[in-house]
Amino acid sequence: MPHSPESATDLDPEAVVVSETGAGRFQVAIRAAGTTFVADEPVEVGGLGSGPNPYDLLASALGACTVMTMRLYAERKGWPLENATARVLHARSGLDGRDRFAREITLIGPLDAGQRARLLEIAERCPVHRSLERGAEIITIAAQPPSLHVPAPQVFEAAGVEIAGDDHKRDMDEACCD
């Protein structure tokens, strides 16, 4: 029986919890920020095609952060940005290859050339862009099923690992400062 992602996040609402659903080979339920959705692989590789694959989620994190950061900056400047869209494609030549993201940004509104250029500069500073660019340290610890009900900070602390909160809004604020 798969663990419930809902119960695992009750004590730690900041944690993202991913659990197998039992449907298909790859489908997982993801619980984040009070919402549950599924990720999967396409039918042609053995999945059910019921949701984005993990690379789609990575690309969507970059796109979402890009649009949010540009929106925050435009609002602070009082610029007439009506809509921003980021289209993101991901490619890699193999497991050991370097990841490449192509990001196409569309800005709608009566912005002048300087404002458009500045918003593209701000896109380069979005927190997820910076995280991907510099790489990340990933710490993995083994846990017994009952620890899914212990808040993540306690689990990591018991393993001697210090973690800090993930404050995306704080990081966007920093990216938007001139």
Side-chain angles (χ1 to χ4, degrees), residues 45-108:
V45 297
L48 300 173
S50 61
N53 72 41
Y55 285 129
D56 294 336
L57 295 172
L58 192 58
S60 68
L62 176 59
C65 183
T66 298
V67 170
M68 290 175 181
T69 304
M70 290 186 307
R71 167 59 56 200
L72 180 63
Y73 189 83
E75 285 179 356
R76 288 191 176 165
K77 294 293 188 178
W79 291 353
L81 175 62
E82 295 170 4
N83 187 274
T85 303
R87 189 177 99 165
V88 182
L89 300 171
H90 171 263
R92 187 171 68 189
S93 60
L95 188 58
D96 293 327
R98 183 167 170 80
D99 291 278
R100 298 188 71 193
F101 293 89
R103 180 174 53 184
E104 177 184 76
I105 296 172
T106 305
L107 303 172
I108 306 294

Side-chain angles (χ1 to χ4, degrees):
M1 175 91 183
H3 293 289
S4 165
E6 288 83 3
S7 63
T9 57
D10 288 342
L11 291 175
D12 193 4
E14 292 187 25
V16 174
V17 178
V18 181
S19 299
E20 294 181 302
T21 65
R25 291 175 59 204
F26 300 115
Q27 188 187 76
V28 295
I30 301 168
R31 178 84 173 169
T35 301
T36 301
F37 58 97
V38 297
D40 200 356
E41 289 290 341
V43 172
E44 48 279 2
V45 297
L48 300 173
S50 61
N53 72 41
Y55 285 129
D56 294 336
L57 295 172
L58 192 58
S60 68
L62 176 59
C65 183
T66 298
V67 170
M68 290 175 181
T69 304
M70 290 186 307
R71 167 59 56 200
L72 180 63
Y73 189 83
E75 285 179 356
R76 288 191 176 165
K77 294 293 188 178
W79 291 353
L81 175 62
E82 295 170 4
N83 187 274
T85 303
R87 189 177 99 165
V88 182
L89 300 171
H90 171 263
R92 187 171 68 189
S93 60
L95 188 58
D96 293 327
R98 183 167 170 80
D99 291 278
R100 298 188 71 193
F101 293 89
R103 180 174 53 184
E104 177 184 76
I105 296 172
T106 305
L107 303 172
I108 306 294
L111 300 160
D112 64 37
Q115 291 168 329
R116 289 178 183 279
R118 182 64 178 145
L119 287 170
L120 292 178
E121 289 174 12
I122 292 300
E124 297 290 314
R125 295 172 56 182
C126 91
V128 172
H129 177 116
R130 288 187 167 180
S131 290
L132 290 169
E133 203 168 51
R134 75 177 160 257
E137 177 183 5
I138 299 171
I139 300 161
T140 303
I141 60 171
Q144 296 300 315
S147 72
L148 288 175
H149 302 285
V150 176
Q154 291 178 17
V155 172
F156 281 94
E157 185 177 296
V161 176
E162 184 179 325
I163 61 170
D166 179 29
D167 192 342
H168 182 254
K169 173 64 168 64
R170 180 204 62 221
D171 292 345
M172 282 196 309
D173 286 337
E174 184 178 321
C176 287
C177 292
D178 284 328

